[in-house]
Amino acid sequence: MTGIEETRRLLFRNVRIFDGISDHLSNGDVLIEGNRITAVSENPIGEAPGQQTVEINGDGRVLMPGMSDVHVHLVGNANTFVDLLGESESLLAANTLAEAGRMLLRGFTSVRDMAGDTAGLKKAIDRGSFPGPRIYPCQAAISQTAGHGDFGFVYDTPSALGGNQSRAEDIGFMRVADGPERMLAAVREQLKKGASQIKIMVGGGAASMYDPLYTLQFTPEELRAGVRAAEDYGTYVATHVYTDAGIRRAVEAGVKSIEHGHLASEETVAMLAERDVWLSMQPFAEADHHYPDPDRADKNRQICNGTDQVYGWAKAHGVKVAFGTDLLLEPQAAPLQSTMVTRLADFYTNIEALKMVTSGNAELLHMAGERDPYRHAKLGVIAEGAWADVLLVDGDPTADLSVLGDPAKNLVAIVKDGRVFKNAL
């Protein structure tokens, strides 16, 4: 059975529990009432006379917290570059809602959206109008002129020089802002529109047309202005950046989460641990993205070639590492999200990987403080009082992480916010 099923009391019996924190599975029952987990017990949980209870007998299957992906682009992942340039915003939103539902059925019950107008979609999902994960919006990512988020054409006059803003800005995907004053306005604009945290582009990227990877983007003064505006709202800044120089400039400005970092040196990776800064990495493979021109294809190759060593250094130095996917502009590639989870086994033990995609990522999500829309309970754990986001797995991901690579087959029950969105038993 698939679809949306509501119940007041949901009881998982006879399950092996990975709680998101422990190194071993435990046996027992898990009770969900409303949208919270209310009991986790080694002993059978009894009936509640007068209350409707739906029981799911796990028959020894593994029950784990819903997964999270802390670097998604719901709008960008659900639409092509041509869609973003030429289609109506209503179609872009419809494609995005459809992909949000598919993402939930892959077992991702929470996501941090890192560029795109998703605050309204978040409200619709939270109200129960559509299936989808919990969304932590950044709203538009902020870029300098000729930076990673400048989607204007080379012959367009920059908006800072009196030109019109690009289509990417019109649809709330990017915001180009030069100078500290415009940076302040851009950050405040995203907070006004519902951003949980702020995304700023601090270096070059593969998808962008004008900026080599080595470029430093935004001056220290501009970055500090953005960080200050975010902190005044009780939240933090995450930055797109790959290189040593860019990472160090971002950290010195007060940024709390480095997105990517694939070209960092070991010294810089160690600095992240010393400064208590998150590394939001993606286990990229070169074939994950396709670029029609040799320049962007080469940038993508350089980024992917740095993946293995940066993961190794991050683990060796005890850096707080989060999992994300950063799939973009190729909707047919969206199912790679599940495959990328399984790649974590190349760098971490299965238990370490599972902790990362559950309680570890949740720690980063909750760093939004008062801007955290789901701060009233814990995410990423199976514990009394936590949000009722759980997955029943046919197979043991603590022994074989690859079972998460086929969610249609192996995720036999998916519950988010206490609602059953899939029950194949």
Side-chain angles (χ1 to χ4, degrees), residues 204-206 213 240-244 247 260-264 284 303 326:
L213 292 174
H240 161 103
V241 62
Y242 289 104
T243 64
D244 273 0
I247 292 170
H260 314 313
H262 294 69
L263 302 181
F284 285 144
I303 291 164
D326 193 32

Side-chain angles (χ1 to χ4, degrees), residues 12 15-16 25 56-64 390-414 422 424-425:
F12 282 93
V15 291
R16 292 185 296 157
L25 301 177
I56 297 178
N57 187 344
D59 195 24
R61 294 179 176 86
V62 172
L63 189 74
M64 62 175 284
V390 299
L391 311 174
L392 187 63
V393 186
D394 196 2
D396 182 357
T398 69
D400 181 8
L401 198 65
S402 70
V403 300
L404 298 177
D406 190 352
K409 176 183 176 184
N410 297 324
L411 298 186
V412 294
I414 298 172
K422 178 180 179 181
L425 296 180

Side-chain angles (χ1 to χ4, degrees), residues 326-391:
D326 193 32
L327 297 169
L328 188 65
L329 302 178
E330 296 181 79
Q332 72 279 6
L336 279 174
Q337 187 179 37
S338 299
T339 302
M340 292 175 77
V341 171
T342 69
R343 290 180 192 160
L344 292 175
D346 295 337
F347 314 103
Y348 297 91
T349 68
N350 293 335
I351 286 287
E352 289 171 337
L354 289 169
K355 288 181 180 180
M356 183 185 297
V357 299
T358 56
S359 63
N361 273 1
E363 184 182 345
L364 175 55
L365 293 174
H366 286 313
M367 203 165 66
E370 290 298 312
R371 298 294 295 180
D372 179 354
Y374 310 110
R375 64 188 178 278
H376 302 297
K378 290 184 177 181
L379 292 167
V381 297
I382 294 179
E384 292 184 11
W387 293 116
D389 301 348
V390 299
L391 311 174

Side-chain angles (χ1 to χ4, degrees), residues 3-17:
I4 299 175
E5 174 189 322
E6 293 189 75
T7 183
R8 293 180 59 83
R9 195 170 188 268
L10 176 64
L11 180 57
F12 282 93
R13 288 203 184 279
N14 189 25
V15 291
R16 292 185 296 157
I17 304 164

Side-chain angles (χ1 to χ4, degrees), residues 123-423:
K123 289 180 181 179
I125 291 170
D126 286 349
R127 289 169 181 166
S129 302
F130 299 92
R134 302 177 189 273
I135 299 175
Y136 283 75
C138 280
Q139 291 301 101
I142 302 170
S143 170
Q144 68 172 40
T145 296
H148 182 57
D150 182 354
F151 280 71
F153 294 108
V154 69
Y155 48 77
D156 291 333
T157 300
S159 56
L161 300 178
N164 296 324
Q165 65 184 24
S166 69
R167 165 70 172 173
E169 292 184 87
D170 287 339
I171 63 175
F173 192 59
M174 296 290 167
R175 170 60 72 203
V176 176
D178 295 298
E181 291 303 315
R182 288 197 175 199
M183 172 67 81
L184 287 172
V187 170
R188 290 166 179 166
E189 176 191 32
Q190 308 324 309
L191 294 166
K192 178 181 179 181
K193 290 183 175 181
S196 301
Q197 61 285 314
I198 297 299
K199 166 84 173 295
I200 298 177
M201 309 300 199
V202 183
S208 43
M209 295 178 283
Y210 312 124
D211 53 340
L213 292 174
Y214 65 79
T215 57
L216 282 169
Q217 299 179 15
F218 286 119
T219 64
E221 293 75 19
E222 289 171 313
L223 289 177
R224 284 195 292 267
V227 168
R228 186 168 65 249
E231 289 178 346
D232 285 347
Y233 259 70
T235 189
Y236 68 97
V237 170
T239 54
H240 161 103
V241 62
Y242 289 104
T243 64
D244 273 0
I247 292 170
R248 289 179 175 273
R249 178 174 288 189
V251 171
E252 290 296 330
V255 165
K256 298 300 183 185
S257 178
I258 298 299
E259 307 300 310
H260 314 313
H262 294 69
L263 302 181
S265 66
E266 184 174 6
E267 182 182 10
T268 293
V269 171
M271 180 201 68
L272 297 180
E274 295 167 3
R275 301 289 188 93
D276 198 31
V277 175
W278 282 86
L279 177 62
S280 175
M281 274 279 284
Q282 302 77 38
F284 285 144
E286 191 173 338
D288 291 344
H289 299 89
H290 302 89
Y291 297 103
D293 57 285
D295 181 55
R296 283 185 288 174
D298 182 62
K299 289 193 289 183
N300 180 57
R301 188 177 305 111
Q302 292 179 54
I303 291 164
C304 294
N305 287 343
T307 301
D308 290 9
Q309 64 183 8
V310 172
Y311 268 124
W313 291 332
K315 186 172 182 179
H317 290 283
V319 178
K320 293 190 294 187
V321 180
F323 167 79
T325 53
D326 193 32
L327 297 169
L328 188 65
L329 302 178
E330 296 181 79
Q332 72 279 6
L336 279 174
Q337 187 179 37
S338 299
T339 302
M340 292 175 77
V341 171
T342 69
R343 290 180 192 160
L344 292 175
D346 295 337
F347 314 103
Y348 297 91
T349 68
N350 293 335
I351 286 287
E352 289 171 337
L354 289 169
K355 288 181 180 180
M356 183 185 297
V357 299
T358 56
S359 63
N361 273 1
E363 184 182 345
L364 175 55
L365 293 174
H366 286 313
M367 203 165 66
E370 290 298 312
R371 298 294 295 180
D372 179 354
Y374 310 110
R375 64 188 178 278
H376 302 297
K378 290 184 177 181
L379 292 167
V381 297
I382 294 179
E384 292 184 11
W387 293 116
D389 301 348
V390 299
L391 311 174
L392 187 63
V393 186
D394 196 2
D396 182 357
T398 69
D400 181 8
L401 198 65
S402 70
V403 300
L404 298 177
D406 190 352
K409 176 183 176 184
N410 297 324
L411 298 186
V412 294
I414 298 172
V415 177
K416 187 211 116 185
D417 205 38
R419 305 175 71 187
V420 180
F421 286 87
K422 178 180 179 181
N423 181 8

